[in-house]
Amino acid sequence: MQKGKIGVSSDNLFPIIKKFLYSDHEIFLREIVSNAVDATQKLKTLASVGEYKGELGDLTIRVSIDKKKKTLTVSDAGVGMTSEEIDKYINQIAFSGANEFVEKYKNDAQAIIGHFGLGFYSSFMVSKKVEVITRSYKDEAEGVKWECDGSPEFELTNVKKERRGTDIIMYIDDDNKEFLEDYRVEELLKKYCKFLPVEIAFGKKKEWKEDKQVDTDEDNIINDTKPAWTKAPADLKDEDYLKFYKQLYPMADDPLFNIHLNVDYPFNLTGILYFPKLKKNIEVQKNKIQLYSNQVFVTDSVEGVVPEFLTLLHGVIDSPDIPLNVSRSYLQSDSNVKKISSHITKKVADRLNEIFKNDRKQFEEKWDDLKIFIEYGMITEEKFYERAEKFVLLKNTEGKYFTLEEYKNIIKDNQTDKDKQLVYLYATDVDAQFTFIEAAKNKGYDVLQMDGQLDSHFINHLESKLKDSRFVRVDGDVVEKLIPKDEKQEMKLSEGDRLDLTPVFHGQLPQRGKANFLVTFEAMSENDSPVLITQNEFMRRMKDMAEMQGGMSFYGDMPDNYNLVINANHPLVMRINEDKEKDLEKDLKGMKSKISTLDKRRAELEKAKEGKKDEEVPSAEKEELHDVSNKLDELKKKKETLLNEYGQKNKLVKQLIDLALLSNNMLKGEDLNKFVKRSIELI
């Protein structure tokens, strides 16, 4: 028997392991099973090159629990170890402290990953004692037992062991009893070891007999040793890719497409990525791509390996070239990772372009599901934008799809404004904005459907990319001003009529929360709506974006400002104007005459002041000017109140405003009920 101390200069290696090297206790099982796989793979290699000539036999790795002894055991039939190898791999961990160790291995973590050594020590995170019983594959090797109770002291003895390989027996401590439960161990094996290349058995398969589950004679193999990504694309059919997807995500809807990655230069990378069906309310679940290293599960936090927008994908990436830290749990930033990230971006873009070119019909059918993903990529990744320009689609309100180039050619003749800017009209709600869409179509314009969650951001991004172009929401202004041209329409209402009608319409403006309404008049066609409600494009877009993201609360907290646009050429508006003149003729005539006289006198007094210093103006003139101004203000206020009160009682004014609100989906509840009753009365 040999006794000794593990080669560490710190008083106790194990607190460092528990607190520093391994952040997550559950990965101990991954490390122990991975070491067993490495030992088995090494034996297979030795056999293939003729260095081991014995029978390989059953190479299944077996994981077992003994609840009475409180042990968890991992057994393999791999290369095993001699006492010298135990001394080399287990006893000689020579480092003066954790910091020095990390410094030593930070640029070459792979040098120790896979070695039967450091990963083995993770077993002490959950164990009060660990035994290693092993026998080397070498001829005339004897069995060896190593044991340690978590202090630097160990014992090494020769024992009888019939078969080559290694048993790691972990005596689970009281704080980690969960690892003596079958369900917990199976859960960990399925998480970390589901695709390891050597079969792993955990107990026996069960079947129902006489209303209870009983063990069968068949091993419960928990892993698929040849997952789809390890096979050549030529050997897989569509149903194989779908079957593997269901293996990864049993509850998910079928994916849209997949990409099979298979690179061996300048780095090794395999994997299968899937485009999932994303719901409109973007599910930013950045834990759906699983990262493996030689089929060992590492993490599902892959932000460091793939660009932000690709974290929306599902699937598997496997690369031994992605550097990992000691616990294989966290990615380290280095140039290799950046190369891999760029390559994956290129492969995704190439695959989308290939589908678009080879089967545009299928691409268009799936566009509504792909759209949010592609827009996200174009907004956040410059190189992806450059590639995606060829296949990103715009959908119009008639459900037709166009590339950026195709759409530009369709609208350039009719939708270029007087300043040579190309105007892209769009709707965010086809039903709510139907009236505006129809008005635009009647002018020969085309309207895009931009109702996705990222569309307000995407529109801003496109405006920064497309030369001499801007996007205008179809309800952002009256149709004549959406795309300003040189021609001008005559306005039938005089300036005086417009001044009088403003307070009339103000009398019926809706009172709703923080919303403000500004009454304006526009020269429009007689066939256009009599009253429209529009909203400033910039402010509305800023408020839309503020709803989606933080840091823009300034815009989100501002009131909604709307324009109540009155068609100055519509017969109904002309009728309201005529009725107003007739109904208020007596009062208005006298007021207007007095206002006109006072306006004239004020102008004379203002002219008399011109070029004079204040002290040169006679006091009488000053007093008269002050008196005239006050009387004018009083008369105008009185006139405005008269017109405002007239408007409040005018059912036609209220009806036209409610129609405008209704066409904007802004008339609801009690107001809608009153509108219906009034409509019946008016009919």
Side-chain angles (χ1 to χ4, degrees):
M1 183 174 79
Q2 177 189 348
K3 286 192 176 186
K5 279 203 172 188
I6 297 164
V8 288
S9 55
S10 61
D11 289 340
N12 197 333
L13 167 72
F14 302 103
I16 295 172
I17 285 173
K18 290 192 179 194
K19 292 179 184 176
F20 187 83
L21 294 181
Y22 293 96
S23 56
D24 191 351
H25 278 201
E26 69 177 35
I27 59 91
F28 82 94
L29 193 56
R30 178 190 71 185
E31 295 296 327
I32 301 304
V33 174
S34 296
N35 284 336
V37 169
D38 291 338
T40 308
Q41 296 283 68
K42 194 169 183 182
L43 185 73
K44 284 184 183 178
T45 304
L46 292 171
S48 69
V49 297
E51 286 189 33
Y52 175 67
K53 295 185 169 57
E55 288 290 322
L56 288 175
D58 179 11
L59 294 176
T60 306
I61 293 164
R62 299 185 181 277
V63 181
S64 57
I65 293 171
D66 186 327
K67 289 193 177 179
K68 283 184 181 175
K69 292 182 180 177
K70 296 184 181 177
T71 60
L72 176 62
T73 302
V74 177
S75 302
D76 69 66
V79 287
M81 286 181 287
T82 61
S83 56
E84 290 80 16
E85 284 169 331
I86 282 187
D87 203 44
K88 178 180 176 184
Y89 291 130
I90 295 184
N91 294 338
Q92 299 303 316
I93 300 182
F95 59 95
S96 59
N99 290 337
E100 185 180 318
F101 173 82
V102 171
E103 187 63 32
K104 182 176 178 182
Y105 282 111
K106 71 176 183 183
N107 295 319
D108 193 16
Q110 290 300 320
I112 44 104
I113 295 300
H115 274 71
F116 197 90
L118 196 78
F120 160 73
Y121 272 102
S122 64
S123 59
F124 283 96
M125 290 193 299
V126 298
S127 309
K128 58 190 173 190
K129 182 172 83 167
V130 177
E131 292 177 356
V132 179
I133 299 172
T134 183
R135 181 180 163 188
S136 172
Y137 73 96
K138 293 172 184 173
D139 293 339
E140 297 175 12
E142 292 184 348
V144 185
K145 178 181 177 183
W146 177 95
E147 61 183 301
C148 178
D149 63 1
S151 67
E153 281 85 17
F154 68 87
E155 283 188 7
L156 192 63
T157 52
N158 288 338
V159 293
K160 193 168 184 180
K161 183 171 176 9
E162 296 295 329
R163 196 164 173 257
R164 65 151 204 269
T166 302
D167 303 328
I168 308 290
I169 305 160
M170 293 164 276
Y171 290 79
I172 303 299
D173 64 34
D174 291 340
D175 293 336
N176 292 282
K177 286 178 183 173
E178 62 183 290
F179 301 118
L180 292 172
E181 299 296 332
D182 289 3
Y183 81 91
R184 182 70 172 117
V185 171
E186 186 156 0
E187 178 187 47
L188 292 186
L189 290 171
K190 284 183 174 172
K191 177 177 179 179
Y192 290 108
C193 310
K194 187 163 57 176
F195 298 115
L196 281 172
V198 179
E199 286 194 343
I200 298 155
F202 180 57
K204 300 292 182 182
K205 282 196 173 173
K206 298 182 186 296
E207 66 180 17
W208 283 96
K209 268 191 183 175
E210 298 173 5
D211 294 333
K212 62 178 182 180
Q213 279 198 322
V214 294
D215 287 347
T216 64
D217 293 331
E218 189 182 348
D219 283 337
N220 176 34
I221 303 297
I222 59 93
N223 58 322
D224 174 0
T225 59
K226 292 182 179 173
W229 85 80
T230 64
K231 299 172 184 174
D235 297 336
L236 295 167
K237 297 175 181 171
D238 287 346
E239 51 263 38
D240 296 318
Y241 287 110
L242 184 58
K243 184 181 173 186
F244 182 58
Y245 186 75
K246 292 295 184 186
Q247 200 177 343
L248 293 170
Y249 315 104
M251 306 303 290
D253 292 335
D254 289 359
L256 302 169
F257 306 116
N258 64 70
I259 299 170
H260 197 134
L261 302 164
N262 200 343
V263 187
D264 52 19
Y265 183 82
F267 43 77
N268 286 295
L269 175 73
T270 54
I272 301 171
L273 295 177
Y274 294 88
F275 293 82
K277 272 191 177 176
L278 290 173
K279 293 183 174 64
K280 271 195 177 175
N281 56 328
I282 185 169
E283 304 165 36
V284 188
Q285 301 162 309
K286 297 173 182 176
N287 59 348
K288 290 294 185 182
I289 295 179
Q290 299 175 7
L291 179 66
Y292 289 77
S293 180
N294 288 326
Q295 293 175 240
V296 182
F297 176 78
V298 176
T299 182
D300 52 17
S301 297
V302 295
E303 286 91 335
V305 185
V306 300
E308 175 82 7
F309 77 101
L310 291 180
T311 58
L312 297 179
L313 293 182
H314 294 177
V316 165
I317 296 170
D318 188 332
S319 176
D321 291 331
I322 293 174
L324 308 164
N325 75 354
V326 177
S327 67
R328 305 190 191 191
S329 294
Y330 299 100
L331 296 167
Q332 294 175 338
S333 178
D334 85 338
S335 58
N336 230 6
V337 169
K338 291 182 180 70
K339 284 178 197 165
I340 289 170
S341 175
S342 297
H343 180 79
I344 294 171
T345 302
K346 181 180 182 300
K347 287 290 285 185
V348 168
D350 289 350
R351 173 73 171 132
L352 286 167
N353 194 40
E354 176 194 335
I355 296 164
F356 171 70
K357 283 164 72 177
N358 295 341
D359 192 347
R360 177 159 176 172
K361 186 171 180 291
Q362 185 200 175
F363 193 80
E364 288 183 2
E365 284 169 1
K366 295 183 177 178
W367 175 254
D368 290 351
D369 291 305
L370 281 173
K371 173 183 166 180
I372 198 166
F373 164 82
I374 291 172
E375 286 184 354
Y376 191 19
M378 292 178 77
I379 291 166
T380 57
E381 197 76 20
E382 181 62 29
K383 284 188 178 173
F384 185 77
Y385 180 94
E386 290 166 10
R387 293 188 171 102
E389 272 184 305
K390 295 176 241 169
F391 55 75
V392 65
L393 296 180
L394 299 173
K395 177 184 177 183
N396 73 4
T397 52
E398 292 172 7
K400 293 177 182 172
Y401 296 90
F402 310 90
T403 63
L404 291 175
E405 189 64 28
E406 288 166 354
Y407 197 70
K408 178 184 170 185
N409 290 330
I410 284 169
I411 66 169
K412 66 181 178 184
D413 291 337
N414 203 28
Q415 291 181 216
T416 301
D417 69 13
K418 59 187 176 65
D419 299 319
K420 308 296 182 204
Q421 282 244 320
L422 188 62
V423 180
Y424 292 75
L425 298 178
Y426 69 96
T428 54
D429 186 327
V430 172
D431 293 329
Q433 293 151 12
F434 181 80
T435 308
F436 295 93
I437 295 167
E438 284 302 295
K441 285 182 179 176
N442 290 337
K443 291 278 280 185
Y445 300 153
D446 193 82
V447 182
L448 293 170
Q449 186 174 332
M450 303 293 273
D451 55 1
Q453 193 180 353
L454 290 179
D455 277 339
S456 55
H457 293 272
F458 189 55
I459 285 166
N460 284 346
H461 199 66
L462 284 178
E463 282 181 332
S464 71
K465 295 286 187 182
L466 303 177
K467 193 181 174 191
D468 297 327
S469 300
R470 61 192 173 91
F471 282 72
V472 177
R473 201 166 94 172
V474 72
D475 60 347
D477 211 329
V478 296
V479 70
E480 283 78 9
K481 293 179 76 176
L482 287 173
I483 306 172
K485 307 277 187 177
D486 284 325
E487 67 263 18
K488 284 192 175 181
Q489 184 133 0
E490 188 184 341
M491 195 179 287
K492 291 182 181 177
L493 284 177
S494 69
E495 186 181 353
D497 291 332
R498 298 198 299 273
L499 279 170
D500 285 355
L501 282 179
T502 298
V504 170
F505 277 88
H506 259 290
Q508 294 284 12
L509 282 182
Q511 305 298 315
R512 45 182 66 235
K514 292 196 293 182
N516 295 326
F517 288 84
L518 176 70
V519 176
T520 64
F521 292 82
E522 291 292 346
M524 295 155 66
S525 162
E526 291 182 6
N527 299 319
D528 289 330
S529 297
V531 178
L532 290 168
I533 292 170
T534 65
Q535 194 175 16
N536 175 274
E537 173 74 15
F538 173 77
M539 287 304 299
R540 182 200 44 72
R541 210 188 288 183
M542 290 300 105
K543 284 182 77 70
D544 286 349
M545 290 169 67
E547 282 179 23
M548 269 196 69
Q549 64 189 64
M552 295 183 70
S553 58
F554 168 75
Y555 290 107
D557 294 339
M558 287 184 76
D560 288 310
N561 291 307
Y562 298 99
N563 296 316
L564 188 83
V565 184
I566 298 162
N567 183 351
N569 295 333
H570 197 280
L572 285 173
V573 175
M574 305 300 288
R575 182 175 136 194
I576 290 169
N577 187 52
E578 287 163 13
D579 289 348
K580 175 258 303 175
E581 289 294 324
K582 188 169 67 178
D583 296 342
L584 301 177
E585 182 181 9
K586 187 179 172 186
D587 294 323
L588 277 179
K589 199 170 183 181
M591 280 184 191
K592 285 183 179 178
S593 175
K594 287 177 185 176
I595 288 170
S596 177
T597 303
L598 288 168
D599 257 335
K600 194 175 177 183
R601 181 57 186 152
R602 186 168 70 174
E604 288 170 357
L605 291 166
E606 290 283 4
K607 192 165 185 182
K609 274 176 65 180
E610 281 178 17
K612 292 180 182 178
K613 292 178 181 175
D614 189 55
E615 60 269 20
E616 293 173 349
V617 179
S619 297
E621 285 183 19
K622 283 183 186 177
E623 285 174 17
E624 188 184 356
L625 181 60
H626 182 262
D627 188 44
V628 167
S629 295
N630 281 345
K631 283 179 180 175
L632 252 178
D633 289 344
E634 281 174 26
L635 265 173
K636 285 181 178 177
K637 197 170 183 182
K638 193 175 176 184
K639 178 190 162 194
E640 190 173 312
T641 302
L642 176 73
L643 291 164
N644 193 271
E645 287 171 352
Y646 175 77
Q648 286 173 21
K649 297 170 189 168
N650 193 307
K651 288 185 179 179
L652 184 54
V653 171
K654 181 64 173 167
Q655 193 72 356
L656 294 186
I657 290 175
D658 279 357
L659 279 167
L661 289 166
L662 189 66
S663 69
N664 278 55
N665 202 27
M666 293 167 71
L667 193 67
K668 292 173 183 174
E670 186 183 354
D671 291 335
L672 180 59
N673 189 42
K674 285 179 180 176
F675 168 77
V676 173
K677 286 181 179 176
R678 193 186 323 111
S679 299
I680 295 166
E681 285 172 26
L682 289 169
I683 291 167

